[in-house]
Amino acid sequence: MAIRIGIGLSTENDTLQAAQAAVRQARANIAAEKIDLAIVFSSIEFAHPSFLKTITSLLGQVTIVGCTGLGIISNEGIFKHGLVIMLLSLPEGVYFNTACVKDISAKSTASAGKELGEKLLYGFKNIRRDLSVIFSDGLLRDESGLLYGLQQRLGMSFPLAGASASDNLAFKKTYLYFNGEILSDAACGLLWGGKLNFGLGIKHGWRPLGKPRYVTKSSGNIVYEIDDVPAATIYKEYFASDLTKLRKELKRISILYPIGIYLAGEEEYLLRNILSIEDNGALVFQSDVPEGSPVRLMIGTKESCLAATSQAIDEVKNGLRGRTSDFVFIFDSASRYILLGRHANKELEIIKERLGKDTPIIGIYTYGEQAPLKSVNYQGRAYFHNQTIAILGMGA
Amino acid sequence: MGEYLINILGMASLLAVIALGIVLTYKMELIRQLQATVNNLKRSLDEMDEQSRLIVRTDMELNKTQEELDKKIAGLYALQRLSRAISTTLEESQIFKMIEATYLEELGFEKGCAFLWSETEKKFLLQMNIGYLEDEAEAIESSLDLNKDNYLELIKSERTLSSISKPMDTSLKEKIKQFFKVESFIISSILPKEGNKGFLFMGTQHLDTLINEGDEELITILANQLGQALENARLFEKTWRTQLDLEKKVEERTRDLTRVLNEVKNISNRKTDFVSSVSHELRTPLTSIKGYASILLTGKLGNLPPEIKDRLDKINRHSDELVHLVNDLLDIARIESGRVVMKREPLDLKSVVEKVVDLLSVQLKEKQVRLSSSIPEDANTIFADRSQIERVFINLIGNAIKFTPQKGKITIHTHKAQNGVQVDISDTGCGIPEEALEKIFEEFYRVDNLINQEAKGTGLGLTLVKHIVEAHNGKIWLKSKLNAGSTFSFTIPQPP
């Protein structure tokens, strides 16, 4: 028995009208009475409690998980303003549990991750655990810590896919949807178990450029020195620029030319976006960059970006081993939306063409993606990525 | 033996030292070569890095250009759609509502507002607000109040100002940034030809949004469009009001005219009734006067002396004239009131004319007037009341004879016209003065000339003719020049 899916989308300006329209459409599209779960993605302006109230008033007390993003993705296209809701009706033998951890900044990220893991595991005894899907505030400073804490509870090699919420590139506030609540400084997740198949692919398409360098001094997500000089020097040299100019163009530089960490045995470098530049020339990244890491400046093009999408789909197909998926999650980096510009739709076209145009698709543009590394060296451990497209196909 | 051994050992160690030296030299050479290779590699790596820098910078430029291009294309699309929406709006209050947040975003801004200066209230009135909370918008409004002279001057200058325009009063620039809470902005005047003028503001908080001259142009175009649209809407409103006023006036005038017309109709009816009844009342005594005069003239009541007979003849003749006049009056009244029904039938014009000419042959002979007629076949049959049409011809030909001098000429000509047959009766008579042309068909009107002073007439003949022709849905008119003859023309329908 397959998972039954109904997707609804609305781009109306009025929050309530949009929520009603999307729920009605999703309800009409699902061939089931019983609804177990609602996944909700929206652009930032919909992040209002009345929005979730409207959904529960129409659907009853249903479990809601989701987040905000720069844009939403569904079979109908990519929309910068709008909301998409996916209703799931699970067959017998497929289970899930949801959990959420709040006020992360008041704790250590690792302990918040552990808390989330414990809550997810609650009531999951004697059931085969398959996969975890998590959503986190995209402006958290140490996503890797959160991931590490979670893995300490779920298992270091436990399959995991995740999305860091985003806003309209203002980097002011991102939100998570969890049941009736709209949360920042939080993370929530789903733990899936039972008779479930899935395939997960993650790729970015950026290529290394210039001389290999080493991180000579770093702590967590702050890199102080690369090749024994202040870390920002690498960007100063490449762009023939000073700190003020760099800061002004930081968003563009960070997206187009991130730092790549070389991981032995991996096909692609692990990318890291810069959040800010300190006065002493230290670079603050969205996630950790360990001391001693070999790093390169990275460059991407529209073509390499779209080729990576295709490769990610290959990975999804490998994971599914010939079985079909009932629906597809897309966690697509906001950077890719910016790099692809008017061609962002091409990415969706590739996915629809390769995974079947009728397969329900729901996606969100993110400030970070979580997925396992592939080579045996890393034993399937999930890492925090930037600039990637993570595609997760699931089926029962 | 021992010495020999030492020698051999010495030789051997010497050889070993030599060999070691050779190997060392060889190794040194190898190390030198390796060092050179490493240096080469290092150099190429540095060169490669140098090239990478060029690549990255070029790539960055390319991406920026692409971004700008994308933005421009999106902006142009937005402007096009927005223009269409604005230009089709004819209601002033709706124009600014057409500007939605999505258009703004496509133009590269997230904040926008528009103000119009109200001459009556002496303040700027907010027309549109995108991206500001209500209290923020109020704060902006009050800041405009404080610096209204600056903004009014700005509007007056008809210029587009932005955070990048030079030269510009930097203090005003900073004020705008501060009050409107933006990093970059464009302000452009909205200038309808009449009524309240104002300005359009668009801005963004994002530090990395680059505004350039192209953006200024787009916003200027949009502001111009808004001005044009306001002008159109105001003009439409004005035209619409004028039209309403006009319609009202026309309605009033029509009502007045209808009332007057009804009055005139009533008066005319009363006149017709009056003429009709008076004529009737006159006929009875006239008949008896004429009857008694006739009896007396027969001499049955005894012979009369010639003086009395002469007077009686006059009574009889004048009575006849009076009867004639009364009959004409009665006919006119009957036709006017619609009491006479025209018994229409197909008629042969030639025979009608012949009959009339026959009737008038005495007068024609007396004056030796030549009468010719040309009535072609296609203009011969008419659809009319025989006796009435005969009266028309009798009157018109009779008049022609009357006003044509001895040996004059009268021609009757007919031809097919748009609404039937047109009959022209021309004479070589004295003609009619221009001032009399219009009045000639009026009742009791007589042209003031010698002939009329001598000949008798009622002044009713042409009036009757006009009434008869019009009762047949025809028209009558004349062309004439003093001393150059007259042509009376009338149309009469042909059989259906």
Side-chain angles (χ1 to χ4, degrees):
Chain A
M1 273 281 276
I3 302 170
R4 291 181 196 280
I5 301 292
I7 290 186
L9 177 129
S10 176
T11 54
E12 278 184 57
N13 282 334
D14 183 88
T15 307
L16 298 186
Q17 281 174 16
Q20 282 173 359
V23 169
R24 291 210 178 98
Q25 195 191 344
R27 200 82 178 82
N29 284 343
I30 191 166
E33 269 305 308
K34 169 185 75 105
I35 289 161
D36 300 300
L37 176 63
I39 306 285
V40 176
F41 294 142
S42 82
S43 47
I44 190 82
E45 65 274 12
F46 289 99
H48 193 273
S50 64
F51 165 46
L52 296 179
K53 261 187 212 143
T54 310
I55 295 177
T56 44
S57 73
L58 287 168
L59 290 177
Q61 282 306 318
V62 65
T63 307
I64 299 172
V65 179
C67 66
T68 60
L70 174 67
I72 56 165
I73 303 168
S74 93
N75 297 61
E76 285 179 48
I78 291 166
F79 302 91
K80 230 181 152 185
H81 297 281
L83 63 95
V84 59
I85 176 163
M86 177 169 80
L87 303 178
L88 294 91
S89 181
L90 303 179
E92 242 176 83
V94 175
Y95 308 94
F96 75 92
N97 189 22
T98 57
C100 145
V101 53
K102 301 177 195 174
D103 305 318
I104 294 178
S105 54
K107 324 166 180 175
S108 80
T109 44
S111 68
K114 273 188 209 168
E115 186 186 326
L116 184 62
E118 272 157 22
K119 283 182 179 170
L120 280 175
L121 284 172
Y122 184 78
F124 236 94
K125 272 179 191 152
N126 306 323
I127 294 171
R128 190 186 88 188
R129 302 197 293 268
D130 295 309
L131 161 80
S132 170
V133 176
I134 63 161
F135 301 100
S136 57
D137 183 341
L139 302 179
L140 284 181
R141 278 274 157 156
D142 182 21
E143 294 258 9
S144 297
L146 185 81
L147 216 52
Y148 182 72
L150 184 65
Q151 284 163 332
Q152 281 192 316
R153 285 291 169 268
L154 296 181
M156 292 316 255
S157 305
F158 186 69
L160 185 150
S164 301
S166 65
D167 61 5
N168 52 355
L169 292 183
F171 291 93
K172 275 192 182 150
K173 203 125 194 174
T174 73
Y175 297 96
L176 305 175
Y177 299 128
F178 187 71
N179 295 328
E181 288 179 285
I182 291 189
L183 305 164
S184 287
D185 192 22
C188 59
L190 288 152
L191 182 60
W192 294 89
K195 289 180 265 176
L196 203 67
N197 318 306
F198 69 92
L200 173 60
I202 182 162
K203 284 275 178 188
H204 52 71
W206 263 256
R207 300 278 171 266
L209 189 77
K211 233 164 40 171
R213 295 155 203 270
Y214 290 88
V215 174
T216 43
K217 192 178 170 199
S218 81
S219 151
N221 61 329
I222 303 172
V223 175
Y224 295 100
E225 285 174 12
I226 294 173
D227 281 355
D228 298 315
V229 291
T233 315
I234 175 173
Y235 282 98
K236 276 198 212 164
E237 280 177 10
Y238 273 99
F239 293 97
S241 186
D242 55 31
L243 277 188
T244 336
K245 272 197 207 158
L246 274 181
R247 279 192 182 126
K248 227 175 159 180
E249 300 237 48
L250 187 64
K251 216 181 273 178
R252 187 177 284 108
I253 289 174
S254 167
I255 287 168
L256 296 172
Y257 315 102
I259 283 283
I261 307 171
Y262 174 74
L263 301 171
E266 283 295 311
E267 277 173 39
E268 287 195 321
Y269 283 59
L270 189 62
L271 299 187
R272 289 284 179 263
N273 287 137
I274 312 163
L275 280 182
S276 61
I277 305 173
E278 310 266 282
D279 286 336
N280 60 10
L283 297 175
V284 181
F285 289 95
Q286 243 183 311
S287 191
D288 65 320
V289 182
E291 211 167 270
S293 304
V295 290
R296 301 280 288 275
L297 189 83
M298 306 293 286
I299 189 168
T301 64
K302 288 187 174 67
E303 287 73 29
S304 68
C305 210
L306 292 175
T309 307
S310 216
Q311 287 159 13
I313 298 168
D314 290 338
E315 289 177 1
V316 174
K317 290 194 168 225
N318 284 341
L320 284 167
R321 285 192 222 102
R323 279 168 294 205
T324 54
S325 51
D326 297 328
F327 68 94
V328 174
F329 270 126
I330 297 174
F331 304 146
D332 203 351
S333 170
S335 314
R336 300 171 73 81
Y337 182 81
I338 291 156
L339 182 86
L340 289 173
R342 287 185 294 125
H343 305 285
N345 266 312
K346 275 191 188 166
E347 191 167 52
L348 181 63
E349 288 311 312
I350 292 172
I351 297 168
K352 274 158 77 173
E353 193 190 306
R354 302 254 344 252
L355 290 176
K357 66 175 170 36
D358 296 325
T359 307
I361 292 172
I362 186 169
I364 186 89
Y365 281 102
T366 61
Y367 283 158
E369 310 77 43
Q370 290 97 43
L373 294 175
K374 275 140 277 186
S375 82
V376 282
N377 306 9
Y378 302 96
Q379 295 158 351
R381 218 189 120 182
Y383 274 77
F384 179 82
H385 301 253
N386 275 140
Q387 318 256 97
T388 61
I389 179 165
I391 306 172
L392 172 63
M394 289 174 69
Chain B
M1 179 68 185
E3 202 174 291
Y4 180 67
L5 204 75
I6 288 163
N7 270 343
I8 287 173
L9 273 173
M11 286 284 279
S13 48
L14 192 70
L15 273 171
V17 167
I18 289 167
L20 202 70
I22 291 168
V23 169
L24 256 174
T25 323
Y26 178 71
K27 284 278 180 201
M28 285 295 279
E29 184 55 34
L30 216 64
I31 286 167
R32 228 187 342 264
Q33 275 175 14
L34 261 172
Q35 190 62 49
T37 316
V38 166
N39 282 343
N40 270 340
L41 262 173
K42 204 163 171 270
R43 204 174 53 245
S44 3
L45 213 59
D46 283 338
E47 279 169 9
M48 190 186 81
D49 207 48
E50 199 58 51
Q51 288 161 1
S52 317
R53 284 173 206 184
L54 278 175
I55 292 173
V56 165
R57 280 171 216 164
T58 320
D59 191 62
M60 178 89 156
E61 279 312 309
L62 261 171
N63 273 311
K64 265 194 206 167
T65 318
Q66 177 83 51
E67 211 175 291
E68 237 167 69
L69 212 67
D70 279 4
K71 200 180 133 194
K72 203 108 297 169
I73 290 170
L76 277 172
Y77 270 129
L79 187 70
Q80 190 212 11
R81 276 179 290 142
L82 198 51
S83 295
R84 198 177 302 155
I86 289 172
S87 61
T88 50
T89 309
L90 282 171
E91 227 176 299
E92 190 172 339
S93 62
Q94 292 298 311
I95 289 171
F96 288 99
K97 285 187 187 150
M98 293 293 151
I99 306 174
E100 289 175 6
T102 46
Y103 288 129
L104 228 65
E105 195 182 310
E106 281 168 50
L107 286 164
F109 302 95
E110 79 277 357
K111 287 181 190 293
C113 47
F115 289 92
L116 290 180
W117 172 258
S118 163
E119 273 300 331
T120 45
E121 291 180 53
K122 294 280 172 224
K123 64 185 279 201
F124 280 103
L125 301 177
L126 182 70
Q127 306 294 318
M128 166 203 109
N129 165 27
I130 291 168
Y132 291 107
L133 299 172
E134 225 161 276
D135 50 335
E136 284 178 322
E138 275 167 26
I140 290 172
E141 237 172 332
S142 51
S143 85
L144 286 183
D145 245 6
L146 287 174
N147 302 286
K148 56 179 167 240
D149 292 338
N150 283 339
Y151 292 99
L152 283 173
E153 207 172 296
L154 206 139
I155 293 168
K156 219 174 138 193
S157 74
E158 302 190 2
R159 273 172 62 207
T160 295
L161 291 177
S162 79
S163 41
I164 59 151
S165 51
K166 285 174 222 165
M168 187 189 167
D169 176 10
T170 41
S171 74
L172 179 62
K173 221 182 211 178
E174 288 312 312
K175 262 186 210 163
I176 291 173
K177 281 188 184 178
Q178 189 193 331
F179 290 132
F180 286 88
K181 292 184 182 167
V182 291
E183 284 299 328
S184 310
F185 69 87
I186 298 174
I187 286 183
S188 189
S189 313
I190 300 170
L191 302 159
K193 275 195 194 116
E194 277 175 46
N196 295 343
K197 295 173 168 41
F199 66 84
L200 174 70
F201 167 91
M202 296 231 173
T204 173
Q205 276 180 307
H206 296 310
L207 277 166
D208 55 343
T209 304
L210 306 165
I211 283 177
N212 56 32
E213 279 110 21
D215 294 312
E216 283 185 358
E217 267 169 44
L218 286 189
I219 302 307
T220 310
I221 291 171
L222 181 58
N224 287 344
Q225 293 260 3
L226 284 170
Q228 190 69 49
L230 281 178
E231 204 175 307
N232 289 346
R234 285 171 190 170
L235 213 66
F236 179 75
E237 172 90 14
K238 213 168 142 188
T239 318
W240 193 63
R241 284 219 171 160
T242 321
Q243 166 122 355
L244 275 189
D245 280 355
L246 217 67
E247 271 175 20
K248 220 166 122 191
K249 267 186 197 154
V250 166
E251 216 172 274
E252 273 169 24
R253 298 289 291 174
T254 312
R255 218 180 300 131
D256 286 353
L257 282 171
T258 316
R259 192 168 41 77
V260 172
L261 187 70
N262 282 337
E263 256 169 50
V264 169
K265 265 188 193 162
N266 282 340
I267 291 169
S268 171
N269 283 343
R270 277 211 298 278
K271 183 206 79 178
T272 311
D273 288 349
F274 171 76
V275 169
S276 167
S277 56
V278 166
S279 308
H280 246 300
E281 294 307 314
L282 277 175
R283 230 166 30 169
T284 323
L286 253 177
T287 316
S288 41
I289 291 169
K290 198 177 145 45
Y292 289 125
S294 301
I295 291 167
L296 284 173
L297 273 173
T298 52
K300 282 178 186 166
L301 298 177
N303 277 337
L304 301 172
E307 292 82 18
I308 295 175
K309 206 181 171 201
D310 194 32
R311 303 302 190 277
L312 272 174
D313 264 334
K314 272 190 182 164
I315 290 175
N316 200 18
R317 206 165 60 248
H318 283 290
S319 299
D320 275 346
E321 273 163 23
L322 214 55
V323 167
H324 197 64
L325 179 80
V326 167
N327 279 343
D328 275 0
L329 271 176
L330 266 174
D331 281 338
I332 290 171
R334 277 200 208 114
I335 294 170
E336 261 188 354
S337 65
R339 264 175 282 163
V340 174
V341 181
M342 297 290 155
K343 289 172 224 141
R344 293 195 201 188
E345 55 182 331
L347 295 176
D348 187 63
L349 256 181
K350 273 182 194 156
S351 66
V352 172
V353 171
E354 264 168 35
K355 190 182 168 191
V356 172
V357 170
D358 206 34
L359 270 172
L360 298 168
S361 56
V362 181
Q363 286 100 309
L364 281 167
K365 265 183 200 152
E366 245 173 45
K367 281 189 125 178
Q368 292 180 305
V369 170
R370 274 188 297 127
L371 188 141
S372 64
S373 66
S374 78
I375 301 171
E377 269 315 308
D378 67 332
N380 185 34
T381 321
I382 56 165
F383 193 59
D385 184 311
R386 180 181 287 275
S387 62
Q388 300 290 353
I389 274 304
E390 279 173 6
R391 290 175 86 177
V392 170
F393 276 101
I394 289 170
N395 264 293
L396 291 177
I397 298 173
N399 274 351
I401 297 170
K402 192 162 135 192
F403 295 105
T404 302
Q406 289 279 326
K407 297 184 178 174
K409 198 179 149 194
I410 296 170
T411 45
I412 299 167
H413 174 77
T414 71
H415 67 269
K416 236 175 124 81
Q418 211 183 343
N419 301 315
V421 173
Q422 182 179 326
V423 181
D424 304 314
I425 298 169
S426 312
D427 60 53
T428 54
C430 56
I432 297 158
E434 212 182 315
E435 69 270 12
L437 286 176
E438 274 182 31
K439 298 180 189 160
I440 198 143
F441 292 108
E442 283 176 19
E443 285 157 44
F444 303 112
Y445 182 83
R446 301 193 75 204
V447 178
D448 185 20
N449 58 22
L450 267 176
I451 300 169
N452 265 343
Q453 282 161 21
E454 285 173 9
K456 293 194 184 79
T458 56
L460 285 173
L462 284 176
T463 312
L464 187 64
V465 163
K466 187 172 189 259
H467 275 99
I468 293 170
V469 169
E470 283 175 356
H472 280 89
N473 300 324
K475 264 187 193 168
I476 185 159
W477 67 97
L478 85 149
K479 275 181 193 161
S480 181
K481 242 179 171 181
L482 206 57
N483 302 322
S486 309
T487 302
F488 278 83
S489 305
F490 65 92
T491 56
I492 216 81
Q494 287 196 294

